[in-house]
Amino acid sequence: MRILPVLCALLLLMLQGVTGLSPPRASAQDCERRGGFCSHRSCPPGIGRIGLCSEQEFCCRMRWYP
């Protein structure tokens, strides 16, 4: 019974590397496909953040997008 928590911890560590559990890496093309645009550091006022274009750029889009 003492080995069960150790096995659970090992399983969680192994699953962290699985692509489905890590944050998705987006690109400018993905952002444009979603109807947005890339903005450096923050989105303009009145525009919502919907994802990431890179580490320092956010994918932004109008809040009321059809």
Side-chain angles (χ1 to χ4, degrees), residues 37 39-51 58-61:
F37 61 93
S39 178
H40 189 66
R41 294 197 183 169
S42 67
C43 296
I47 307 290
R49 181 171 51 181
I50 61 169
F58 295 108
C59 182
C60 305
R61 181 175 72 186

Side-chain angles (χ1 to χ4, degrees), residues 15-44:
L15 287 177
Q16 283 183 341
V18 177
T19 54
L21 296 178
S22 61
R25 297 279 183 203
S27 66
Q29 292 83 16
D30 292 334
C31 182
E32 289 175 10
R33 215 173 293 130
R34 294 176 67 189
F37 61 93
C38 295
S39 178
H40 189 66
R41 294 197 183 169
S42 67
C43 296

